[in-house]
Amino acid sequence: MQFGFLTNVESLFFPFWLLSTFTRFAFYFYISSLLFGTIFKIRQFEYIIPTLATVTVLLGSIPETPTFSIFYLRVALLHTATPIFLLLPFLLWVLAKLKGDVKPEKTKTS
């Protein structure tokens, strides 16, 4: 967007956006540390804010973009879950036989 001599008007709004974003996240961290302190009965909950911010940043940096990582997760899940789903009924049947829960069927005599 251009207004005569101003070529990038968006840069005028950037400081306000930055300030509002910082204020919003500071408020969120304060509220979440207040709730955390209330749940665990911590009187000086303000000291939790830096730890909570660090944990939030570390947890936020763990996953990659779901669009790309979901395909790798799907392949890994299929490779691990398929043998489990195929072997689980037989394993349960063998355990039930050993425990004595499975009784032989009685045949009818006519």
Side-chain angles (χ1 to χ4, degrees):
M1 197 156 89
Q2 293 181 0
F3 286 123
F5 64 94
L6 293 175
T7 56
N8 291 328
V9 178
E10 295 90 9
S11 61
L12 296 176
F13 297 108
F14 182 69
F16 298 110
W17 173 81
L18 197 61
L19 208 86
S20 67
T21 302
F22 178 76
T23 306
R24 181 179 49 160
F25 282 125
F27 179 72
Y28 287 158
F29 280 129
Y30 184 81
I31 293 296
S32 57
S33 66
L34 174 69
L35 289 172
F36 188 80
T38 304
I39 289 171
F40 293 108
K41 296 180 176 67
I42 301 171
R43 290 182 186 250
Q44 296 180 340
F45 63 89
E46 289 89 1
Y47 296 115
I48 300 172
I49 294 174
T51 307
L52 188 64
T54 305
V55 168
T56 303
V57 167
L58 290 176
L59 286 176
S61 65
I62 288 174
E64 293 181 11
T65 308
T67 306
F68 300 115
S69 62
I70 195 74
F71 297 115
Y72 300 117
L73 182 63
R74 179 182 174 270
V75 170
L77 185 65
L78 284 175
H79 284 267
T80 55
T82 302
I84 292 173
F85 286 139
L86 290 176
L87 295 176
L88 189 62
F90 296 112
L91 178 66
L92 290 174
W93 179 70
V94 168
L95 289 174
K97 275 288 230 191
L98 291 174
K99 191 176 174 184
D101 288 344
V102 178
K103 297 178 179 140
E105 292 183 22
K106 295 180 183 178
T107 57
K108 288 185 182 180
T109 54
S110 24

